[in-house]
Amino acid sequence: MTLIAFIVLYLLASIAIGLFAATRVKSTSDYAIAGRSLPLPVIIATTFATWFGSETVLGIPSKFVEGGFQKTVEDPIGAGMCLVLVGMFFARKLYKMDLLTIGDFYRKRYGTGVEIFSSIVILISYLGWVAAQITALGLVFNLLSAGAITVATGMAIGTGVVLVYTLFGGMWSVALTDFFQMIIIVIGLTIIAMFAADHAGGVGRVVQYAQSRDMFNFFPDGGLHGWLFWLGAAITIMIGSIPQQDVFQRVMSAKSADIAVKGPIIGGISYTLFALVPMFIGVSAFLIMPDVANGLLKEDSQKILPTLVMERMPVWLQVFFFGALLSAIMSTASATLLAPSTTFVENVLKNFVKMSDRQELRYMRATVVVFTFCVLSYSIIMEGTPIYELVSKAYQFPVVGAFWPLVCGLYWRRSTRQGAIWSIVLGMSAWGLLEYTPLGEAFPSVLGGFLLAGLGMAVGSLVPTAGNQAYRAHTARHGEHSHAHR
């Protein structure tokens, strides 16, 4: 009861911080990108929290004990590199364009059709990403109640908490709760790692055990086939998360271009390094409770870390662990509920419905509610799917349907609307063919879609057609990055 009481107090504190942040929301800019006013420490915290979710605490340790670093190339390696790449190559250029969403870039660079289609691709990707967080919330409440609360009911409770503060405060709530939650994550998991190391016989013994099971092998085995699938896994989150609204919102919320650049770079490096902590705790379980850990490895490796905490650690450390876990989940879930909702209103609905700024804000809040219920339903349907798999599948869509138009639109003056359309069509078609036929066993679907999308972008832009010539003439007259508003 003591543990549950502390968790309830923690949830209430998160809601209170989120609702306090809601008092700052006066416009769609405040709601979507916190009025572009966040300082560097908050940007670092919120970009770090972008990725530090359920898969970091439950999914990554599970993958690491199953197959070592080879199995974690998507996350945390790819995810951390994504933020670094965003800071180095995308943040400053996008920040100077004064955009509300990433979809706005596609409209200004390629027109309404590409804007709508790219935005839909981005929207679809969020289903699996948010579902992973909601699934983890269900697991947490199920564990805390010793099975009295079903996983599905736990999903509904956790979703309700996140919805309350995200609905009213938008990016302001996301940023301030992320800052508070990151502190809990870092302190909580560091103390638990120290406790685990002590009971496992020291850091050296844990490292030696991991080494004895070849967990430090990073590169793949199996020749060309192994390398292709390893590379496909590496680019899934590293590339697929660059044209994403949640990353974009956090970076564009900075109060200056320099902060927009530094924040994700520091946040990405911090995330990659700190993700080693739950991996370490997961491995230590095999030394502290070998029989239980090996049994769970066969049954459900996601339960190894929480079982270690529940069975071998005192109540005060359990409070820290579940506080850190809920912080990780809610910080990610809140942003991934907000991001697709703002994208839908700004880049899809607004093309068909005229609205004032105040009406747009109301539509965004209504869409948050609708999207939340859609994701909750999807999560319940997908119950039992590993969290890591939900996340990795989600980010394949932007890799094949949104990346090349973004990077070429920023860095290649000759890229055109036709090139963007060819890129999307070829990339999505190749991905679908490989994903849903036996061909995908020979060549990874995400890598095939990525390569064909790049080819479509290049050929579609260079083919001499009347449309391309008119487009180049237009961009030459009005500038490559027009700032005209609808």
Side-chain angles (χ1 to χ4, degrees):
M1 284 302 294
T2 304
L3 175 59
I4 294 174
F6 273 109
I7 295 303
V8 170
L9 286 174
Y10 172 77
L11 293 174
L12 291 174
S14 295
I15 291 173
I17 291 170
L19 293 179
F20 167 74
T23 60
R24 294 174 173 264
V25 177
K26 309 296 181 190
S27 67
T28 52
S29 176
D30 292 334
Y31 193 75
I33 51 175
R36 290 165 67 104
S37 59
L38 300 182
L40 182 61
V42 178
I43 294 296
I44 292 171
T46 197
T47 49
F48 174 93
T50 306
W51 298 134
F52 213 100
S54 59
E55 73 291 345
T56 315
V57 182
L58 300 176
I60 289 175
S62 165
K63 284 291 181 181
F64 184 66
V65 298
E66 286 175 12
F69 279 126
Q70 278 186 32
K71 294 280 189 178
T72 62
V73 65
E74 279 180 64
D75 195 5
I77 311 299
M81 274 302 299
C82 165
L83 292 177
V84 173
L85 292 174
V86 166
M88 291 175 66
F89 300 108
F90 297 88
R92 191 176 299 277
K93 282 179 173 286
L94 290 171
Y95 192 89
K96 289 180 178 179
M97 293 181 69
D98 193 22
L99 309 169
L100 191 65
T101 67
I102 190 71
D104 289 349
F105 170 82
Y106 294 102
R107 181 186 72 250
K108 290 186 175 185
R109 187 65 174 83
Y110 302 112
T112 303
V114 175
E115 171 197 13
I116 293 173
F117 200 92
S118 297
S119 298
I120 290 172
V121 166
I122 291 167
L123 286 170
I124 293 170
S125 72
Y126 279 101
L127 267 180
W129 182 232
V130 190
Q133 314 313 314
I134 291 174
T135 299
L137 285 170
L139 288 171
V140 169
F141 285 110
N142 179 257
L143 280 169
L144 287 172
S145 65
I149 298 174
T150 65
V151 173
T153 304
M155 289 180 188
I157 294 170
T159 303
V161 171
V162 176
L163 174 62
V164 168
Y165 68 76
T166 307
L167 176 64
F168 295 104
M171 192 59 206
W172 267 113
S173 289
V174 170
L176 294 191
T177 52
D178 278 357
F179 189 74
F180 163 67
Q181 288 161 347
M182 193 191 78
I183 294 169
I184 301 295
I185 290 168
V186 171
I187 294 173
L189 289 180
T190 300
I191 294 173
I192 289 165
M194 293 167 65
F195 184 92
D198 184 55
H199 281 66
V203 173
R205 189 157 178 247
V206 177
V207 172
Q208 189 177 26
Y209 178 81
Q211 201 164 16
S212 71
R213 293 184 58 172
D214 294 325
M215 291 184 182
F216 295 142
N217 288 342
F218 181 67
F219 296 108
D221 304 314
L224 179 61
H225 184 269
W227 273 97
L228 286 174
F229 279 83
W230 183 87
L231 187 59
I235 67 170
T236 297
I237 297 181
M238 181 168 62
I239 297 298
S241 293
I242 291 175
Q244 283 288 55
Q245 178 62 14
D246 57 325
V247 175
F248 173 86
Q249 279 180 302
R250 285 165 149 92
V251 174
M252 294 306 110
S253 297
K255 67 179 182 180
S256 72
D258 285 342
I259 290 174
V261 170
K262 292 175 185 175
I265 292 174
I266 298 171
I269 294 170
S270 302
Y271 170 74
T272 304
L273 295 175
F274 199 75
L276 297 173
V277 175
M279 288 188 210
F280 175 87
I281 300 169
V283 173
S284 69
F286 287 85
L287 296 171
I288 299 170
M289 47 176 206
D291 293 339
V292 175
N294 281 301
L296 288 172
L297 183 61
K298 296 174 185 175
E299 178 195 327
D300 184 356
S301 55
Q302 292 178 134
K303 294 180 179 177
I304 291 174
L305 204 156
T307 301
L308 170 66
V309 174
M310 291 291 283
E311 292 189 3
R312 300 301 177 95
M313 297 190 182
V315 172
W316 67 273
L317 270 180
Q318 292 176 20
V319 171
F320 264 114
F321 173 75
F322 284 102
L325 179 56
L326 285 169
S327 292
I329 296 166
M330 293 196 303
S331 65
T332 301
S334 58
T336 45
L337 287 177
L338 178 65
S341 304
T342 53
T343 298
F344 174 76
V345 174
E346 174 71 10
N347 302 116
V348 180
L349 188 63
K350 206 171 178 181
N351 284 297
F352 304 98
V353 179
K354 289 187 177 181
M355 59 187 82
S356 65
D357 188 78
R358 186 176 293 274
Q359 289 172 323
E360 186 175 357
L361 183 56
R362 283 203 293 267
Y363 275 117
M364 283 182 179
R365 283 178 167 147
T367 307
V368 168
V369 175
V370 173
F371 187 75
T372 300
F373 281 106
C374 290
V375 171
L376 178 59
S377 302
Y378 178 75
S379 303
I380 292 171
I381 292 167
M382 297 295 288
E383 186 180 335
T385 305
I387 290 167
Y388 199 94
E389 300 305 321
L390 284 170
V391 171
S392 61
K393 283 286 184 188
Y395 280 96
Q396 292 185 12
F397 289 98
V399 173
V400 302
F403 174 74
W404 286 111
L406 173 64
V407 71
C408 291
L410 288 172
Y411 284 99
W412 189 32
R413 293 181 63 88
R414 297 191 67 182
S415 63
T416 65
R417 183 185 297 115
Q418 177 175 281
I421 293 169
W422 283 29
S423 175
I424 294 167
V425 172
L426 277 178
M428 295 294 287
S429 300
W431 175 85
L433 179 66
L434 291 167
E435 181 71 15
Y436 296 107
T437 69
L439 292 172
E441 296 174 13
F443 199 93
S445 57
V446 67
L447 183 59
F450 174 74
L451 294 174
L452 263 291
L455 180 65
M457 189 77 222
V459 175
S461 295
L462 295 175
V463 168
T465 65
N468 271 349
Q469 290 168 358
Y471 181 83
R472 290 195 183 103
H474 173 79
T475 53
R477 286 196 307 271
H478 299 285
E480 186 177 17
H481 300 305
S482 170
H483 286 249
H485 292 285
R486 278 178 285 200

